Amino acid sequence: MAESFREQMGTGANFRVRVTIIGALVSIVPLIGISILLPEAGRDVLFWIYWTGLTGCLIHLLWILAKNPIPSKRPPLLTRDLAMGWALLVPSLLSSFWPGIVGSPLITVLVGATSVAERIRNSSATS
């Protein structure tokens, strides 16, 4: 079963995007559990650490998008996986991280914009 799960996660950029998104989504559960047990000062530090991790996740998705800017040259399903970056909105909302609230939908918009730009470029080249 572990092998089939590994195959479903894909390879290369697809794997990195999927692990980034799943990791950010799953990590909110321990954050909430631990923050309930900590005093106020410890909770503040914990949230800053978590926000740093979310920032890293958003930057990682942008980095992969920058490395694969042309949709037709991306590995199969990478466009779909990158467009799922909006899912980082959930942990951002639950942890009140406003850069993530703005940034996660922005990643999806940027993925869509690259597709639109390629279509415009291809239609103007054929005209």
Side-chain angles (χ1 to χ4, degrees), residues 32-46:
I32 293 171
I34 293 170
S35 68
I36 291 171
L37 301 173
L38 288 177
E40 188 71 31
R43 194 175 306 139
D44 292 341
V45 172
L46 180 66

Side-chain angles (χ1 to χ4, degrees), residues 3-123:
E3 188 173 295
S4 64
F5 177 71
R6 176 64 177 105
E7 290 172 2
Q8 290 175 355
M9 289 296 288
T11 58
N14 288 356
F15 177 75
R16 292 192 312 269
V17 169
R18 292 173 186 170
V19 167
T20 299
I21 292 172
I22 291 170
L25 288 172
V26 170
S27 65
I28 191 70
V29 174
L31 173 81
I32 293 171
I34 293 170
S35 68
I36 291 171
L37 301 173
L38 288 177
E40 188 71 31
R43 194 175 306 139
D44 292 341
V45 172
L46 180 66
F47 274 95
W48 276 102
I49 292 169
Y50 186 73
W51 293 337
T52 303
L54 275 179
T55 302
C57 290
L58 291 167
I59 290 171
H60 186 241
L61 293 179
L62 287 173
W63 178 258
I64 292 174
L65 179 62
K67 289 289 196 179
N68 301 285
I70 302 170
S72 62
K73 294 183 180 178
R74 289 182 190 145
L77 301 177
L78 183 60
T79 300
R80 182 204 64 183
D81 293 342
L82 284 169
M84 290 300 295
W86 67 267
L88 295 179
L89 181 65
V90 173
S92 298
L93 281 170
L94 291 175
S95 66
S96 300
F97 182 57
W98 69 266
I101 294 170
V102 173
S104 55
L106 183 62
I107 290 172
T108 303
V109 169
L110 289 174
V111 171
T114 60
S115 296
V116 170
E118 184 180 35
R119 286 187 189 135
I120 291 172
R121 189 176 332 119
N122 289 342
S123 68

